Amino acid sequence: MLKIQHLKKHFNQLEVLHDVNIEIAQGEVACIIGSSGSGKSTLLRCLNLLERPTAGNILYKNKDIAVDYDVNELRSKVGMVFQHFNLFNNLTVLENCVIGQMKVLKRNRKEAEEIARNFLDKVGMLRFAEAKTKQLSGGQKQRIAIARALCMNPEVLLFDEPTSALDPEMVQEVLEVMKKLAEEGLTMVIVTHEMGFARDVANRVIFMDKGVVVEDATPEEIFNNPKHERTRMFLGRTLNN
């Protein structure tokens, strides 16, 4: 589904990504882990052109995303769920899920609302359809953000630390929704610091450090027998906290 080739990203003189090469197959759940500043979120943002790569290529279904896709078309296929939800607080929950469908996919309101209600029901938020999003908790907002992304019928869904802005008791409700999506076979790339989730749900875990992929293996290999010293040190710090 996604092929990342020799990807580099600079911000002025700061090199954030250096020669990143990753392939994501259809139906895979890949969790990207690593310390703050390792390039995880920048990599994710490059995958749907929220950031433009400095060098290298990203192929989606063997087409270069920077050349062969209209940005709106790409973002409907490669959806994104953000750390801080990015909802429209002045709109209702339903409107948040309808607006992109009508503007980007050109669906009529009746169809868009039907699809929105279906996905809100899926994430357990249908009863809040007419509420303003500013009235809701962080966990509820993140579930709405996931429903909104699903309304665009993405083939790949990117998650940028979806639980890091949540209170601890709300983390589980969001992870449960994501786990259900993984079980249904949705292709997902998830930047996360939830090691238990990465261990239990991912097919692959990618450890990044200082802008490079240090290790890319199954959860069992990464967590039980990491090959690189940097991976061992990171997991030692993270799992013992």
Side-chain angles (χ1 to χ4, degrees):
M1 292 287 274
L2 282 168
K3 190 180 286 188
I4 302 162
Q5 301 173 317
H6 305 294
L7 188 69
K8 295 185 179 185
K9 177 63 181 177
H10 297 182
F11 293 103
N12 298 319
Q13 301 305 307
L14 180 65
E15 186 176 61
V16 180
L17 297 174
H18 178 71
D19 199 28
V20 173
N21 296 276
I22 300 171
E23 291 188 20
I24 307 288
Q26 185 168 355
E28 270 196 316
V29 177
C31 281
I32 304 176
I33 63 173
S35 303
S36 295
S38 59
K40 310 182 302 294
S41 291
T42 301
L43 170 61
L44 209 66
R45 291 171 68 83
C46 286
L47 296 184
N48 72 350
L49 295 179
L50 285 166
E51 297 289 353
R52 292 270 172 179
T54 305
N57 302 93
I58 300 169
L59 306 182
Y60 169 65
K61 291 189 164 179
N62 293 318
K63 290 182 177 177
D64 191 317
I65 66 169
V67 177
D68 299 320
Y69 284 98
D70 168 75
V71 167
N72 282 339
E73 180 194 7
L74 175 71
R75 289 180 188 162
S76 70
K77 299 294 185 193
V78 183
M80 182 92 151
V81 176
F82 297 90
Q83 182 176 348
H84 294 289
F85 328 128
N86 286 26
L87 297 171
F88 297 108
N89 282 326
N90 59 325
L91 299 181
T92 65
V93 167
L94 186 65
E95 279 298 318
N96 266 279
C97 295
V98 163
I99 192 167
Q101 297 184 65
M102 293 176 67
K103 286 194 166 180
V104 178
L105 301 181
K106 308 301 181 195
R107 288 176 179 154
N108 64 50
R109 175 166 287 276
K110 185 171 182 292
E111 183 187 12
E113 286 194 4
E114 198 173 302
I115 288 166
R117 289 181 189 280
N118 175 46
F119 283 116
L120 286 169
D121 190 35
K122 188 185 183 94
V123 302
M125 292 299 295
L126 182 57
R127 64 197 173 100
F128 295 100
E130 302 306 328
K132 288 275 174 63
T133 57
K134 63 185 172 190
Q135 300 165 328
L136 304 175
S137 72
Q140 290 169 328
K141 287 178 181 177
Q142 195 59 290
R143 283 189 283 159
I144 293 159
I146 293 170
R148 178 181 63 178
L150 292 171
C151 285
M152 306 300 283
N153 299 117
E155 295 175 339
V156 181
L157 202 45
L158 312 175
F159 291 83
D160 188 9
E161 304 218 18
T163 59
S164 65
L166 302 180
D167 293 333
E169 66 268 24
M170 293 172 183
V171 169
Q172 204 53 43
E173 65 185 55
V174 172
L175 293 181
E176 284 300 322
V177 170
M178 293 169 64
K179 192 171 182 181
K180 202 190 308 180
L181 295 176
E183 287 165 357
E184 291 171 5
L186 181 64
T187 307
M188 297 158 69
V189 184
I190 305 161
V191 169
T192 185
H193 60 273
E194 297 290 339
M195 296 300 142
F197 177 82
R199 189 196 289 265
D200 295 342
V201 179
N203 310 110
R204 281 169 63 199
V205 176
I206 297 163
F207 170 61
M208 290 185 69
D209 187 49
K210 296 177 181 171
V212 299
V213 173
V214 176
E215 200 157 347
D216 179 353
T218 65
E220 187 178 27
E221 288 171 293
I222 291 275
F223 289 108
N224 297 342
N225 189 27
K227 290 186 172 55
H228 293 266
E229 179 62 23
R230 281 148 83 185
T231 316
R232 286 193 287 272
M233 285 174 64
F234 170 77
L235 291 174
R237 285 197 312 271
T238 308
L239 297 176
N240 293 330
N241 280 347

